[in-house]
Amino acid sequence: MQDASTRWVRIMSKQEIPEGDFVRCLKADGKKVCLIRHGQELVATQATCPHAGGHFSGGWCKNGMLVCPIHRYEYDLRTGRGAAGQGDYIDLYPVALKDDGVYIGFKTGWLKRLLG
Ligand code: FES
């Protein structure tokens, strides 16, 4: 999980993690993301729905799928792929739970890595 092309950004302390399942949109390093817990898994996705730009906050999870609260399109939390017939997908970001909190990994472009 540690490679030079991924920049890890801390988004909350362990104490701030809500109890139980949740879908929460927040900002990480200026980028809007959605942090989700479904069962034992923490998953990070893009914050807005590709269908019509609805916000995922207020959404929920069902059988490993994130359900958008606006028109109830569904997205697989493991692959990002939309449910059958939707023909769309969402971006997923790696999540790491460390001693001091929850981190989301963002890919860094080659030019930014080159320039530091
Ligand atoms: S905006 Fe999400 S399903 Fe339509």
Side-chain angles (χ1 to χ4, degrees):
M1 205 150 29
Q2 297 290 334
D3 73 76
S5 64
T6 302
R7 187 169 43 83
W8 292 92
V9 177
R10 183 175 175 266
I11 56 162
M12 66 174 59
S13 69
K14 279 185 166 177
Q15 293 77 23
E16 293 172 311
I17 302 172
E19 294 288 321
D21 286 5
F22 64 86
V23 176
R24 178 173 291 183
C25 289
L26 24 88
K27 264 192 175 172
D29 206 29
K31 187 177 181 73
K32 288 182 182 170
V33 296
C34 190
L35 183 67
I36 299 158
R37 178 162 57 206
H38 184 47
Q40 299 303 310
E41 297 290 321
L42 282 173
V43 179
T45 72
Q46 63 187 61
T48 55
C49 178
H51 173 234
H55 234 255
F56 283 133
S57 55
W60 61 92
C61 297
K62 182 179 83 179
N63 301 326
M65 305 290 278
L66 170 62
V67 182
C68 177
I70 310 299
H71 308 104
R72 301 190 178 195
Y73 274 36
E74 298 182 7
Y75 299 91
D76 190 305
L77 290 169
R78 285 175 299 114
T79 64
R81 188 171 285 173
Q86 288 178 202
D88 58 0
Y89 68 92
I90 56 173
D91 290 333
L92 301 177
Y93 305 103
V95 176
L97 186 58
K98 300 183 182 181
D99 288 344
D100 63 338
V102 180
Y103 286 74
I104 296 181
F106 295 105
K107 288 289 175 206
T108 309
W110 66 268
L111 184 58
K112 198 166 188 174
R113 285 197 305 273
L114 187 69
L115 299 174

